[in-house]
Each structure stands twice: as structure tokens, then as C-alpha cells.
Amino acid sequence: MRRPQLDIQLKTPEQIELMRAAGLVVARALSRMREAVAPGVTTADLDAIAETTIREAGAVPSFKGYHGFPASICSSVNEQVVHAIPSPEQVLREGDLISIDCGAVLNGWHGDAAVTVAVGEVDPALLRMAEVAEDAMWAGIAAAARGAASGRGRLTDISHAVETAVRKGGRYGIVDGYGGHGIGTEMHQDPHVLNHGRPGKGPRLVPGLALAIEPMITAGSPRTVELADGWTVVTRDRSMAVHVEHSMALLDDGVWVLTAVDGGRARLGDLVTSRQPADSPAR
């Protein structure tokens, strides 16, 4: 079923179960890459881990071939915000931050998530920035769950919650022009989910809505430029950036964070749907 105007695809509970399976493939790939991150590892090494993990699960990398993108992950290091192409020449160094964005499609349904990982010992201020982005993502997901439960929630309630959490966390730039999105039978669907804005605007938050929530923040200016490869987005002032993301879906009795192993239970508690077992292991 698709809602008018923005062409928003609403999913049945059974379809959300299929999306959960795709989300767990992404979670497994990200977990293996996180464990592999270390000085001397290349971003191409991480890409190989992702592709192997995804294909072993019977899924297909969502990113590979998407509008010509040549890899299974986006591997954005330091001032790279998003969409960086993995390379055997991109060698991770002590003190780097790497944002790894990964997607998989399984039985026609997509999962999409991103993590920011420290390489060895990293400046505590940068670790704090990554923590703020993570907290902001969860604040956005919680706002979606509460908005759907109340029957009064609107899309920009998520945006406002993300922005509020970032502003509370410190003086960071919130990247403009990039953000979250609908997800389902395509990786990118309506609606676009900004990481800033006033609450109470946009489509209603209703059961069946599936979204990827993905804050991107910087240690300096929020302005970005795209490099000559046509993909890699970097901060204009070359300040450090972080990017995190989870895919989530709203159901009649709560939210399901499809790309979190515990379904979001550790961070969201009773906001999580009963379809996610309360004793599901977190990792």
C-alpha cells in the first residue's frame, strides 16, 4: 500500500518481518567489519568482509551497482562524511574515525545501517562526537515510536528530536542535504528524513512506516563538497565527521529497529514491539 503525494510505502507486519531478516544480515556484516577495524587494514579489506557476509546469507549487497557505485559499503574516513568508495590504497591509521555504511537486500527487501568506528586510540573529543550522533539517532527513533503511539506524530518530530539531541551534546555541525529516508522494496524511498527542523510537520507517523534514521555531524562547518569521483562527500573545512544509521519500522504496538540485533530493546525499552522478544540478546 502506498500513501498519496510522497508515494510512501506502508508495510504489513509480515513484510516488516522480511525486512527484519535483511536487517540482521546488515547487522552481522557491520559487526564483522567493526571487529576487523585496526591500523593497517584497508577499506577494501572491509568491503570484502561485507560482501562475503552478505552473500553467505543468501542476500545481495544493496550498494554494489547502485547508480554505478562499485562496492558493497561506503567507507568514509575522517573528513569524509558519506559515500566514500573503498580502496586498497585507503589504509586505516591509528587515530582515524571510519564511518561504515552497509546495505543488503534479501528476498526483495532492504536493510541499511551505518556505524562509526574508532581506529586504535582516538581523540576523546572525536569519540564524544560519535556518541552524540548515536544518541541523536536513538532520540529520533524514540520520537517516531512515541509519535506513532500517540496518533499525533509527524515526520519532522524525528528531525527535531535528532537536532535537539545534537545541540544538547555540543557545538557540532549538522550536515544539510543528506539524511534518512524511507526503505522497503527499494533502498531509498519517500520520505526524506532531515536531521534538523521544527516538529509537527510532514506525513503522519503511522504503523507500517519504515525509515532509515541517519544523523551525520561534523566537528566544524556543516557545509560539504562532493569529490571528483562523483561519490565521496567531504566537509568543506576538512573537519572530522561521523555518520550512524539504523533502519526501523513502526507497528501497532511499538517500533522495531530492524538493523539492531536486540531490535532496539536496550535503548528503547518498552517502546519496542512485542514482535521483538524481550530476552533477545544484545551485542
Side-chain angles (χ1 to χ4, degrees), residues 6-275:
L6 283 179
D7 195 25
I8 295 173
Q9 182 189 73
L10 297 181
K11 287 79 175 173
T12 67
E14 293 72 26
Q15 290 169 335
I16 291 171
E17 294 270 5
L18 295 173
M19 291 186 67
R20 170 60 166 169
L24 288 175
V25 174
V26 172
R28 191 174 307 118
L30 285 171
S31 177
R32 290 181 179 177
M33 286 184 281
R34 185 192 288 274
E35 292 174 359
V37 166
V41 172
T42 72
T43 54
D45 294 334
L46 299 177
D47 185 66
I49 291 170
E51 180 160 10
T52 297
T53 303
I54 291 167
R55 294 194 185 279
E56 283 177 349
V60 175
S62 300
F63 296 1
K64 197 163 191 178
Y66 183 75
H67 295 294
F69 191 78
S72 297
I73 63 169
C74 299
S75 52
S76 305
V77 180
N78 297 337
E79 76 278 4
Q80 297 172 341
V81 181
V82 69
H83 300 161
I85 301 170
S87 167
E89 280 74 52
Q90 178 79 70
V91 181
L92 298 179
R93 299 173 300 176
E94 187 89 11
D96 284 344
L97 280 181
I98 178 170
S99 297
I100 307 170
D101 193 356
C102 181
V105 56
L106 180 65
N107 296 321
W109 296 92
H110 286 259
D112 187 10
V115 295
T116 293
V117 185
V119 183
E121 294 293 325
V122 172
D123 183 344
L126 298 178
L127 296 178
R128 173 59 183 159
M129 181 168 64
E131 182 182 1
V132 167
E134 184 92 4
D135 289 345
M137 175 186 65
W138 285 107
I141 296 170
R146 293 190 180 101
S150 72
R152 299 187 298 273
R154 297 279 187 170
L155 183 70
T156 63
D157 297 348
I158 300 172
S159 308
H160 182 70
V162 171
E163 180 179 12
T164 299
V166 173
R167 301 299 183 213
K168 182 179 178 181
R171 295 174 63 101
Y172 302 107
I174 300 176
V175 175
D176 199 11
Y178 298 90
H181 50 88
I183 186 169
T185 51
E186 300 87 30
M187 182 166 57
H188 293 112
Q189 297 180 328
D190 286 339
H192 183 58
V193 187
L194 291 172
N195 289 315
H196 57 85
R198 294 181 179 180
K201 299 182 182 297
R204 292 190 180 278
L205 299 172
V206 295
L209 183 64
L211 302 170
I213 310 300
E214 51 179 322
M216 303 172 202
I217 65 176
T218 73
S221 170
R223 300 182 68 188
T224 61
V225 294
E226 187 178 271
L227 299 186
D229 63 13
W231 287 101
T232 306
V233 176
V234 301
T235 53
R236 185 179 291 272
D237 62 2
R238 296 304 191 267
S239 61
M240 299 283 272
V242 297
H243 170 209
V244 295
E245 176 185 19
H246 267 311
S247 296
M248 49 138 278
L250 298 172
L251 291 104
D252 287 330
D253 66 341
V255 66
W256 202 352
V257 185
L258 304 171
T259 46
V261 172
D262 73 342
R265 183 77 63 185
R267 294 295 299 252
L268 302 175
D270 290 342
L271 290 175
V272 172
T273 175
S274 61
R275 284 179 175 256

